[in-house]
Amino acid sequence: MEKFVKLTGVAAPLPVVNIDTDMIIPKDYLKTIKRTGLGKGLFAEARYNEDGSVNPDFVLNKPAYQNASILVAGDNFGCGSSREHAPWALLDFGIRCVISTSFADIFYNNCFKNGILPIVVSQADLDKLMDDASRGSNAILSIDLESQEITGPDGGSVKFEVDAFKRHCLLNGLDDIGLTLEKATAIDSFEKTVGASRPWA
């Protein structure tokens, strides 16, 4: 998993509450178990018209936000089903950080396991960041996970809290497999000990 230490990029405003995982990645895209290629389906029902053409009014289709790496969204982001395809789609599109006042628990945890930083802020801070993100090509935010701070285009900053263990995993690029491999020496030692004392097992 790619490490997340610092991120500076365009932030796209999505001031919609209760964005569920079906909105993030519609069920039509759930046939694959690959983590790549899902970016094209991100917010598909909003990004594309019924005839398949691009909806120019959707924020991620606007020229200033087509390369956004940060999403500033309304309350209760990622609610609905537990599909892990939702963070996969965000990541494949290029979104590495989502900022909101709250997240659905399963989606929130899935983000950390896939290299995305979900940040919870107060409503007042979200309003400020949403305003920052509404500046088009000047909507640049800097996210520093080490100092747990967001810096806006005007130099103003917002501090955020994050679980220490989850922060450690992101800073070091550790998903569940990476965490297990950190204990490879202890696992090997245990297996040799057990193998010697219980050769029939």
Side-chain angles (χ1 to χ4, degrees):
M1 186 174 76
E2 185 179 352
K3 294 180 181 180
F4 190 116
V5 180
K6 294 181 180 178
L7 171 67
T8 298
V10 173
L14 194 60
V16 180
V17 300
N18 301 322
I19 293 176
D20 64 28
T21 51
D22 189 51
M23 293 173 65
I24 297 171
I25 184 72
K27 60 183 181 301
D28 298 348
Y29 294 88
L30 303 185
K31 298 172 184 175
T32 181
I33 57 171
K34 294 181 180 179
R35 301 187 184 199
T36 56
L38 289 169
K40 67 180 182 294
L42 181 68
F43 298 116
E45 293 178 356
R47 280 173 66 197
Y48 308 111
N49 297 314
E50 288 187 9
D51 63 1
S53 61
V54 171
N55 173 10
D57 295 325
F58 185 67
V59 63
L60 294 179
N61 290 333
K62 295 180 179 180
Y65 298 109
Q66 287 178 359
N67 294 312
S69 57
I70 301 163
L71 198 60
V72 183
D75 189 57
N76 197 30
F77 190 88
C79 57
S81 72
S82 61
R83 64 188 68 169
E84 197 168 5
H85 292 68
W88 291 355
L90 286 164
L91 192 62
D92 193 59
F93 181 86
I95 302 294
R96 293 291 317 277
C97 177
V98 182
I99 305 170
S100 179
T101 50
S102 71
F103 294 88
D105 286 345
I106 295 175
F107 174 83
Y108 183 78
N109 290 316
N110 279 341
C111 280
F112 284 102
K113 292 181 178 183
N114 287 282
I116 297 172
L117 173 61
I119 297 177
V120 176
V121 296
S122 68
Q123 185 61 57
D125 285 338
L126 186 74
D127 291 343
K128 178 191 181 304
L129 294 168
M130 194 71 75
D131 181 65
D132 288 340
S134 299
R135 301 184 185 189
S137 58
N138 294 319
I140 305 295
L141 295 181
S142 292
I143 316 291
D144 188 327
L145 182 54
E146 289 183 310
S147 63
Q148 296 177 209
E149 188 172 31
I150 306 167
T151 305
D154 60 358
S157 64
V158 171
K159 298 289 287 186
F160 63 90
E161 297 297 323
V162 62
D163 176 81
F165 176 71
K166 290 180 169 64
R167 176 176 175 271
H168 167 79
C169 290
L170 273 186
L171 286 172
N172 293 281
L174 297 172
D175 56 12
D176 288 347
I177 294 173
L179 284 168
T180 302
L181 291 176
E182 279 196 321
K183 303 182 185 302
T185 301
I187 292 170
D188 288 343
S189 176
F190 173 80
E191 288 181 341
K192 287 177 182 176
T193 300
V194 170
S197 63
R198 300 171 60 198
W200 62 88

